């Protein structure tokens, strides 16, 4: 295990010597959403001087950056008399990756104007545009180098275009920026992420790969420590999407989007969805239906604890969004998407890498957290109308 921890400021300049003496490290990378981490270490003055608001943690694993981003809680400090007179106590730092900074922004209908100059009933609209281009444009004009000066995230630039995604349409205003980016991934197999490269934070898209033929986990291969597997009925197989109502009009657009395979395997489950658009001319209602189907009609939830081997390592042989294969002890093999990769390490015990694989609901988050996220998305859809 070779892990190094650095602290930088928001300009990505290293602030001091690498952090040493840490007793535990926990860092989770997530697919298309901010990661999170924590590290506990002795609270020596030279350490505490680096742990200030605005600074970032950089986790380097085997020479490559595993995660880098702002400190959300720079100093969670504790001390007890049991530690002795010379014991400085310990401090726990909670941090995220750089997607968390982007997550603090909303979409402005007219991003080239100041907030005071925004106009009522205006939307940022895309029609017949590639989904990667839409995502990159929204990032650029709301918090990237193309944003007004006050909204630019320091050192954030767009990475090289990956040429992924499909043609679609979108309309947004006052919506959490990463929410609309995730919604646009229904127009193609797209992942997005940030990465630190020198003195820049690069935001880019990529195409997750099907690694199920080469990235395989099983007891026999020695790279699987535990499995939690659950197959349940879908919460929706037929998304019944309604367009916006127009005052004084009796005409309203309705679109049905179905997962017929899930309905045939289980049974039909209908769900009413407010599509947030007037019609489906540009496919916006269909996209809203597909989003809910993706959330509710993939009933397999799979969480695994894996261990790196020389032949298969997270970040090298598979990554977030990739499709991998898990061989269950009773003979069934399941293939699905890597939703998160979790690094846990201590100096004594070494490191453990676990992955969560499966549907969007295959997560270590509590059920209440998932419920709140779903509710927030629905409220956001209504708010942007």
């Amino acid at each position: 295990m070779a892990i190094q921890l650095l602290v930088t400021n928001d300009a990505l300049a290293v602030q001091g010597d690498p952090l040493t003496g840490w007793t535990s490290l926990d860092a989770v990378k997530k697919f298309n959403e901010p990661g999170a981490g924590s590290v506990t270490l002795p609270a020596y003055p030279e350490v505490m001087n680096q742990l200030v608001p605005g600074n970032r943690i950089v986790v380097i694993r085997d020479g490559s950056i595993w995660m880098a981003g702002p400190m959300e809680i720079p100093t969670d400090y504790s001390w007890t008399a049991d530690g002795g007179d010379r014991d400085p106590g310990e401090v726990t730092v909670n941090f995220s990756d750089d997607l968390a900074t982007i997550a603090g922004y909303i979409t402005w209908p007219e991003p080239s104007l100041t907030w005071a100059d925004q106009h009522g009933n205006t939307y940022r609209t895309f029609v017949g545009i590639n989904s990667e281009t839409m995502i990159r444009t929204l990032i650029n004009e709301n918090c990237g180098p193309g944003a007004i000066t006050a909204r630019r995230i320091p050192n954030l630039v767009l990475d090289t275009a990956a040429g992924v995604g499909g043609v679609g349409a979108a309309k947004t205003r006052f919506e959490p920026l990463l929410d609309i980016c995730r919604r646009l991934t229904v127009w193609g197999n797209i992942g997005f992420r940030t990465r630190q490269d020198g003195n820049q934070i690069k935001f880019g898209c990529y195409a997750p790969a099907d690694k199920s033929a080469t990235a395989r986990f099983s007891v026999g291969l020695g790279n699987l420590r535990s499995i939690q597997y659950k197959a349940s009925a879908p919460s929706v197989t037929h998304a019944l999407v309604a367009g916006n109502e127009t005052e004084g009009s009796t005409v309203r657009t309705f679109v049905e989007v179905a997962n017929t395979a899930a309905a045939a395997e289980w049974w039909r489950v209908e769900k009413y969805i407010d599509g947030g658009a007037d019609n489906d001319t540009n496919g916006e209602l269909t996209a809203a239906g597909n989003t809910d189907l993706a959330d509710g009609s993939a009933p397999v939830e799979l969480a695994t604890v894996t261990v790196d081997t020389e032949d298969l390592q997270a970040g090298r042989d598979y990554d977030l969004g990739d499709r991998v294969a898990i061989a269950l002890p009773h003979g069934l093999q399941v293939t699905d998407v890597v939703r998160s990769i979790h690094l846990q390490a201590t100096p004594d015990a070494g490191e453990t890498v676990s992955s969560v694989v499966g549907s969007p609901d295959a997560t270590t988050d509590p059920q209440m957290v998932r419920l709140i996220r779903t509710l927030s998305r629905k409220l956001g859809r209504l708010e942007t109308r």
Side-chain angles (χ1 to χ4, degrees):
M1 176 183 68
I3 293 178
Q4 185 180 49
L5 304 177
L6 300 176
V7 175
T8 77
N9 61 13
D10 62 359
L12 310 190
V14 176
Q15 295 301 284
D17 293 333
L19 300 178
T20 60
W22 54 272
T23 56
S24 68
L25 171 68
D26 194 297
V28 184
K29 300 191 296 184
K30 299 183 178 182
F31 182 48
N32 289 352
E33 61 179 303
S38 66
V39 59
T40 300
L41 62 163
Y44 295 117
E46 60 270 23
V47 170
M48 300 299 288
N49 288 339
Q50 298 185 55
L51 307 181
V52 298
N55 281 356
R56 303 164 63 254
I57 291 282
V58 180
V59 180
I60 300 174
R61 180 189 183 222
D62 296 331
S64 300
I65 295 178
W66 174 269
M67 178 183 292
M71 302 179 189
E72 296 185 322
I73 304 178
T75 51
D76 185 354
Y77 173 78
S78 63
W79 176 90
T80 65
D82 295 338
D85 293 338
R86 295 177 8 181
D87 188 344
E90 67 177 21
V91 60
T92 297
V93 183
N94 290 280
F95 59 94
S96 185
D97 64 27
D98 289 306
L99 273 181
T101 309
I102 296 174
Y105 285 73
I106 64 173
T107 57
W108 287 18
E110 299 167 286
S112 63
L113 304 180
T114 67
W115 181 251
D117 291 330
Q118 299 294 307
H119 297 91
N121 298 321
T122 55
Y123 289 84
R124 184 65 175 97
T125 303
F126 301 91
V127 177
I129 304 294
N130 171 267
S131 50
E132 180 189 16
T133 300
M134 288 190 278
I135 292 172
R136 288 168 57 87
T137 299
L138 287 168
I139 296 296
N140 180 54
E141 65 189 19
N142 282 285
C143 61
I148 61 175
T149 302
R151 303 186 73 206
R152 293 176 191 164
I153 295 176
N155 301 91
L156 178 66
V157 299
L158 295 180
D159 210 338
T160 304
V164 297
V167 174
K171 183 170 68 172
T172 181
R173 64 170 181 167
F174 313 141
E175 186 175 1
L177 182 53
L178 287 189
D179 282 5
I180 175 64
C181 289
R182 279 188 289 268
R183 183 153 57 86
L184 289 172
T185 63
V186 303
W187 296 104
N189 183 32
I190 301 179
F192 57 80
R193 59 194 169 196
T194 54
R195 64 183 183 94
Q196 181 177 329
D197 183 13
N199 63 350
Q200 294 180 320
I201 299 170
K202 294 184 175 181
F203 175 93
C205 299
Y206 65 100
D210 186 347
K211 299 289 187 69
S212 58
T214 56
R216 300 182 67 253
F217 299 94
S218 71
V219 175
L221 291 172
N223 57 12
L224 190 60
R225 289 186 175 176
S226 69
I227 305 170
Q228 289 181 301
Y229 172 79
K230 179 172 67 175
S232 56
S235 60
V236 55
T237 64
H238 289 70
L240 307 178
V241 190
N244 295 338
E245 289 187 281
T246 303
E247 187 174 352
S249 174
T250 59
V251 178
R252 190 177 186 188
T253 302
F254 295 93
V255 173
E256 179 177 334
V257 186
N259 184 332
T260 54
E265 183 178 7
W266 295 87
W267 50 78
R268 182 184 178 104
V269 184
E270 298 180 343
K271 182 179 179 181
Y272 173 84
I273 298 166
D274 189 328
D278 293 337
N279 53 59
D280 201 40
T281 302
N282 300 311
E284 293 165 290
L285 300 184
T286 297
N290 282 328
T291 298
D292 276 73
L293 284 182
D295 287 345
S297 61
V300 172
E301 297 182 26
L302 180 68
T304 67
V305 177
T306 66
V307 59
D308 278 359
T309 65
E310 290 185 2
D311 296 327
L312 187 62
Q313 295 184 14
R316 187 193 72 183
D317 302 304
Y318 70 95
D319 216 327
L320 294 172
D322 290 344
R323 182 170 290 271
V324 299
I326 308 291
L328 305 182
H330 50 66
L332 178 66
Q333 176 170 291
V334 178
T335 66
D336 217 315
V337 172
V338 178
R339 298 290 170 181
S340 67
I341 301 175
H342 189 175
L343 170 65
Q344 295 173 294
T346 65
D348 296 332
E351 66 179 39
T352 299
V353 177
S354 61
S355 59
V356 175
V357 182
S359 71
D361 283 338
T363 173
T364 55
D365 292 332
Q367 179 68 26
M368 183 56 71
V369 173
R370 302 205 298 267
L371 179 62
I372 290 172
R373 287 179 177 173
T374 301
L375 179 60
S376 297
R377 188 181 71 236
K378 291 179 178 178
L379 290 175
R381 185 181 293 163
L382 292 174
E383 182 68 25
T384 59
R385 289 176 53 182

